[in-house]
Structures are given as C-alpha cells and as structure tokens.
Amino acid sequence: MAKFKIQYSAGFGHYTQNHKGFGPTIYIEETVEFDNGKDYFDYMDFYNAHSKPDDTYFHISFLEDRPLSDKEIATRNTYRKVRDENCKKAKEEFIKNNDLDNEHYSTHGD
C-alpha cells in the first residue's frame, strides 16, 4: 500500500467559440496524495475517482521522480484511451444539447 503524489487538472470547454474568448475552462487543478490500496499507481482508479461526466479535459501528472512500472504504463494507456473517448462524448453531448450559433463553430480545430 502506497500513497502517490499526483497533480491533476480537469475542466470543461466545448472548443466551439475560441475566437470569442471561450475555450477550455479548467475548473480544478489540484495536487493530492492518492492511495488506491495497491503497490502501484492505477491511473484508471484515479480517473474514476476524480473525473466528472461533463469533463472535456482531464490530465494526470505523476509527481514522483521514478520510472513508471509496467502495470502503471498499462493502466496509463487504458486511462488515456477511456479519457479521450469520454471527453469527446462530453463535447458532442454539449453541442447536441445546446444552441450554438453556427458562425461560432470552429472549423480549424483548437
């Protein structure tokens, strides 16, 4: 059992009105000690504990000065895939459920 020092940031931003001053809004940025009851840091455990369904942005920074173990690398890869899918879904849900002027849709990405 170990505690891991983690910094994470999460936010909401629908990327549709960047030129009008709207972009991703980070609503939390925090450094925490996380104990998942395992001898390695499980990215999925942390993500599931700290993310919200409407997050369109989520980033985990591992603050310990050591290489990641094979288990940590595997959970990080799974976390990134799940996070990207969930963030994309949250963005699509927001656009679908809110009236945005077409002229404000970004056609050139971020």
Side-chain angles (χ1 to χ4, degrees):
M1 316 283 180
K3 286 188 177 182
F4 302 96
K5 192 168 184 173
I6 305 300
Q7 181 179 13
Y8 77 101
S9 50
F12 170 80
H14 48 80
Y15 303 98
T16 58
Q17 299 179 336
N18 286 348
H19 71 285
K20 294 193 71 163
F22 298 94
T25 302
I26 295 175
Y27 55 76
I28 189 162
E29 189 167 65
E30 188 173 29
T31 300
V32 296
E33 285 193 359
F34 184 69
D35 182 358
N36 57 353
K38 300 176 181 176
D39 62 352
Y40 66 95
F41 176 67
D42 188 318
Y43 279 79
M44 283 304 299
D45 286 352
F46 187 89
Y47 178 70
N48 290 332
H50 290 86
S51 68
K52 294 182 177 59
D54 67 346
D55 284 337
T56 58
Y57 175 84
F58 197 92
H59 181 75
I60 297 172
S61 297
F62 189 74
L63 297 179
E64 294 182 19
D65 189 20
R66 66 168 176 79
L68 296 176
S69 70
D70 289 342
K71 286 181 182 177
E72 289 166 335
I73 290 170
T75 66
R76 182 187 64 188
N77 292 341
T78 302
Y79 144 74
R80 286 178 174 169
K81 184 175 189 267
V82 170
R83 174 203 62 195
D84 290 350
E85 289 170 0
N86 289 346
C87 288
K88 181 180 179 199
K89 182 179 170 188
K91 176 186 168 189
E92 289 169 352
E93 285 294 311
F94 178 84
I95 290 171
K96 183 174 79 175
N97 294 322
N98 291 276
D99 291 328
L100 297 176
D101 295 336
N102 285 336
E103 67 188 68
H104 297 152
Y105 279 98
S106 173
T107 57
H108 57 275
D110 230 343

